[in-house]
Amino acid sequence: MRLAIQLLLWVVIIGLAYLTFNAVYEPIQFNKIKEKRYAKVVENLKDIRDAELAHKEVVGSFEEDFDKLVKFLDTAEFAVTQRRDTTVLDEEYKKQYGVDEYIEKVIIDTLNFVSVKDSLFKGDRDRYTNMINVPVEDVDAKFELDAGSIKKGQTEIPVFRARVAKSVVLQGLDKELILQQNQVQSVDDINGRYINVGSMEEVNTKGNWPTQYGDE
């Protein structure tokens, strides 16, 4: 009887030790995997932002259709310009008053054109054609991409947003820990349910990730 009780106690002790170990080990492993996946996702979001900002610079608006964004990258060029200040004679003033009057002007000279895809992606087409895909193994999903404009006073200002739910990025991991990620509020982590860049509610092209993942 005494031996049976001792064996039972050992089973309980081992069981508690295992549960304690798992309680510490699982979150550590979860965080390691999470940070690797988040880093890959953030890199793609940065690429999407660069492409969108280039589209706005050249076309004047952001693009919500990813296929059209890719076509733009395939062919678009940045103008390489030089700004110079100069003064010119105001002919109308001289004609009216008979006195020389000079006007200061800024002249923008176009010096050259540079391919957008070469400038941003070093010509790597696979990189920008696949940046819409969530870069996590065994996760078949794409980033949500939206674009439009919001009104500020009398002006329509272009905006865009690219995002993916954390639950998509963290597929296959502990569900309880994923739920905790959706509730996280920390300067060292990504807050909220999504990893995103840009906004459809305000003029903002930043990402919601902390500095450990690079610039916002």
Side-chain angles (χ1 to χ4, degrees):
M1 183 67 178
R2 184 177 177 182
L3 179 60
I5 293 173
Q6 286 179 332
L7 289 173
L8 180 60
L9 286 173
W10 274 111
V11 169
V12 171
I13 290 169
I14 292 170
L16 289 174
Y18 175 78
L19 292 173
T20 302
F21 172 79
N22 268 1
V24 175
Y25 179 76
E26 285 188 11
I28 290 173
Q29 290 303 108
F30 176 89
N31 283 329
K32 286 182 179 178
I33 297 170
K34 177 203 75 175
E35 288 175 5
K36 287 181 181 179
R37 292 188 183 185
Y38 280 7
K40 291 179 180 179
V41 166
V42 166
E43 288 306 309
N44 275 37
L45 287 173
K46 289 178 183 177
D47 280 349
I48 293 172
R49 174 175 58 190
D50 288 345
E52 287 285 5
L53 290 173
H55 190 279
K56 182 176 180 292
E57 181 177 335
V58 175
V59 179
S61 62
F62 294 118
E63 178 57 68
E64 67 177 354
D65 186 319
F66 184 71
D67 290 336
K68 291 181 180 178
L69 186 60
V70 169
K71 288 179 181 178
F72 163 80
L73 293 171
D74 282 337
T75 59
E77 294 179 320
F78 286 128
V80 180
T81 62
Q82 174 181 278
R83 172 193 172 114
R84 56 190 175 91
D85 298 325
T86 188
T87 56
V88 295
L89 181 65
D90 188 337
E91 298 288 353
E92 289 296 323
Y93 190 91
K94 182 176 182 179
K95 185 186 296 184
Q96 186 171 354
Y97 299 104
V99 178
D100 289 352
E101 178 73 14
Y102 291 89
I103 304 170
E104 291 186 357
K105 295 185 69 174
V106 175
I107 297 176
I108 306 295
D109 297 318
T110 300
L111 304 178
N112 200 357
F113 290 92
V114 177
S115 166
V116 171
K117 65 183 178 183
D118 289 341
S119 178
L120 297 181
F121 302 102
K122 297 181 173 59
D124 186 348
R125 193 171 190 275
D126 283 343
R127 179 177 163 190
Y128 66 80
T129 55
N130 287 302
M131 64 187 176
I132 196 66
N133 300 318
V134 177
V136 176
E137 190 176 352
D138 298 326
V139 173
D140 183 15
K142 298 181 183 298
F143 292 99
E144 299 174 26
L145 184 61
D146 296 291
S149 63
I150 58 175
K151 198 164 187 177
K152 291 286 185 180
Q154 300 301 312
T155 306
E156 293 284 341
I157 302 177
V159 292
F160 86 98
R161 180 185 65 203
R163 69 179 186 177
V164 62
K166 290 179 178 177
S167 58
V168 173
V169 177
L170 300 174
Q171 275 183 41
L173 302 182
D174 185 276
K175 292 182 179 180
E176 183 60 36
L177 294 175
I178 293 174
L179 289 175
Q180 290 177 22
Q181 272 296 300
N182 289 337
Q183 306 299 321
V184 72
Q185 292 293 324
S186 170
V187 295
D188 297 322
D189 210 333
I190 299 174
N191 299 330
R193 295 174 52 235
Y194 292 90
I195 309 173
N196 64 265
V197 65
S199 172
M200 294 301 292
E201 289 77 41
E202 59 181 342
V203 182
N204 178 15
T205 59
K206 291 183 177 181
N208 69 334
W209 50 83
T211 54
Q212 71 189 67
Y213 296 107
D215 65 293
E216 295 182 357

